[in-house]
Amino acid sequence: MVTAISYDPRQNLNLRKDHGIVVVEEIEGLIKVYNNGHIERPPIVPNVPPNSLPHVTSKDVIFHHPTNLWSRIYLPTDNNPSKKLPLLVYFHGGGFSVGSAAWKCYHDFLTTLASKIGVVIMSVNYRLAPENRLPAAYDDGFQAITWLKNQAMVNSKEQNWWSSKCNFSNMFISGDSAGANIAYHVAIRLNSYNNNNNIKPLCLKGVILIQPFFGGESRTHSEKYSVQPPYSALNLSASDTYWRIALPVGSNRDHPWCKPRLSSTNNMKLPSVLICISEMDILKDRNLEMCNVLGEAEIKVEKHVYKGVGHAFHILHNSPLSQPRTQDMMSHLKAFIYNQ
């Protein structure tokens, strides 16, 4: 996704070829998949530990011991102690195959978000493809919600530092890029899970999708013709590679997981949805199409298009407009959450 890198994608490639081991999929600087199953993910973005800052405390917690799945929880510490805060479940981006809840860009963004809009955030670290192809990430997201339900019911001392400040009946699911795709599919699964009754005392109030990553075999206008800003986080070649790495073997981009479609026969009733779209993103047209699909299903949709910025501007800050647009987006998220 990030093109300003120092990693040489040709490093050791010829040596591996001499032994019959070759790269079969690659996104420069981010991931290499070899024909023997070996995966390389250069550390292009540093991982950072949780911390305690003047306005936000963050800690890592394991939410599923069999697979060692964990999340990073952010708690604003400057709010009214008697006021319980909304809960935001967040999934990071990275084409389903790279990224981490510990990446510095996500840690910084979510620390600021928790403080600025006043929410408890659970940033989910899910399993990555191709070692764990879809629907593994969807399953992990649902497992995270199941863990939250248990925390709401048992009120354990270990998690009391954040759970006691959290309004579990005011929950939102969010993510950016592939994380937004995960958030959408987790929300769909939750909503079909006995009409939400089986997740009580949790209550899903809204879904927030930031530049959601969807695809298709037929190209959209923005995929074919959009002019990418310098250091664009996503181009068409990388998008295609992410889907090949993440989808079940033998599938193409017309797979249902690439499409934000709702069945007319499944009585699906999502809560309100906020979709954040970047004007210079190759996904712009797919994001606008998603607004139409949800609207036709009589789901309340709010959308914002951020001018002059590309994919993942809110975490990369790779444009002079990134900072003001990020502030705008945070304001939109706050208004959406507190008006449901």
Side-chain angles (χ1 to χ4, degrees):
M1 297 186 332
V2 184
T3 57
I5 59 173
S6 58
Y7 178 78
D8 182 359
R10 298 164 295 181
Q11 184 178 3
N12 294 328
L13 185 57
N14 292 333
L15 176 61
R16 291 183 180 275
K17 281 183 176 179
D18 290 342
H19 293 84
I21 301 173
V22 296
V23 175
V24 293
E25 297 287 2
E26 178 179 7
I27 299 173
E28 185 176 341
L30 285 166
I31 186 170
K32 282 184 180 183
V33 181
Y34 292 88
N35 61 345
N36 67 348
H38 177 68
I39 313 293
E40 289 180 2
R41 293 182 177 91
I44 189 171
V45 179
N47 290 327
V48 296
N51 52 22
S52 294
L53 299 174
H55 304 294
V56 178
T57 294
S58 59
K59 296 181 182 180
D60 292 343
V61 298
I62 294 177
F63 65 86
H64 190 241
H65 286 278
T67 51
N68 203 35
L69 292 172
W70 59 276
S71 66
R72 181 162 296 179
I73 295 180
Y74 300 82
L75 174 69
T77 55
D78 54 358
N79 61 290
N80 184 339
S82 64
K83 179 183 177 182
K84 295 208 170 186
L85 301 174
L87 171 63
L88 178 68
V89 182
Y90 196 92
F91 298 92
H92 67 79
F96 308 104
S97 58
V98 298
S100 169
W103 268 14
K104 185 179 187 301
C105 55
Y106 281 107
H107 178 79
D108 293 347
F109 170 68
L110 294 177
T111 297
T112 303
L113 187 66
S115 176
K116 184 176 179 62
I117 72 176
V119 291
V120 177
I121 299 177
M122 178 187 188
S123 178
V124 180
N125 203 61
Y126 52 87
R127 290 173 293 170
L128 300 177
E131 300 94 325
N132 300 280
R133 290 176 178 264
L134 295 175
Y138 305 152
D139 295 339
D140 295 347
F142 191 79
Q143 188 65 52
I145 303 300
T146 301
W147 181 82
L148 283 172
K149 173 188 173 180
N150 292 336
Q151 297 308 311
M153 295 176 68
V154 302
N155 194 23
S156 70
K157 291 182 179 179
E158 184 181 7
Q159 306 302 331
N160 186 261
W161 66 274
W162 66 270
S163 64
S164 63
K165 311 293 194 306
C166 178
N167 182 357
F168 288 98
S169 65
N170 194 18
M171 181 178 73
F172 295 80
I173 295 181
S174 181
D176 66 282
S177 194
N181 179 294
I182 296 168
Y184 175 77
H185 285 288
V186 170
I188 292 291
R189 188 182 297 190
L190 287 177
N191 221 270
S192 62
Y193 192 50
N194 196 23
N195 294 322
N196 250 342
N197 287 331
N198 285 346
I199 66 167
K200 289 183 177 179
L202 302 180
C203 182
L204 180 61
K205 292 294 187 67
V207 180
I208 300 169
L209 307 177
I210 301 172
Q211 306 145 10
F213 184 50
F214 289 94
E217 289 295 309
S218 178
R219 303 298 192 190
T220 66
H221 185 274
S222 62
E223 287 174 339
K224 290 190 291 186
Y225 301 115
S226 65
V227 177
Q228 294 300 290
Y231 309 117
S232 172
L234 186 70
N235 57 43
L236 195 57
S237 174
S239 175
D240 290 350
T241 304
Y242 282 134
W243 284 120
R244 287 195 302 270
I245 289 174
L247 288 171
V249 175
S251 301
N252 65 20
R253 296 188 305 276
D254 285 332
H255 191 283
W257 292 333
C258 304
K259 306 286 185 179
R261 293 177 179 171
L262 296 173
S263 169
S264 60
T265 61
N266 62 8
N267 196 31
M268 197 69 67
K269 294 296 181 183
L270 280 177
S272 297
V273 178
L274 170 64
I275 301 182
C276 300
I277 304 168
S278 296
E279 181 188 34
M280 301 179 73
D281 191 353
I282 65 168
L283 298 177
K284 180 183 75 171
D285 288 347
R286 296 205 181 274
N287 292 174
L288 293 171
E289 176 190 6
M290 183 175 194
C291 296
N292 294 333
V293 168
L294 296 180
E296 290 171 0
E298 298 183 348
I299 294 168
K300 183 180 177 182
V301 179
E302 176 183 335
K303 74 174 185 289
H304 295 279
V305 179
Y306 301 95
K307 302 291 186 180
V309 288
H311 196 74
F313 71 88
H314 60 295
I315 60 167
L316 296 182
H317 303 298
N318 53 2
S319 158
L321 293 174
S322 294
Q323 193 63 37
R325 297 294 182 265
T326 300
Q327 296 300 317
D328 292 343
M329 186 174 71
M330 288 188 178
S331 296
H332 294 147
L333 265 62
K334 182 175 183 178
F336 178 80
I337 288 174
Y338 279 92
N339 286 329
Q340 300 306 311

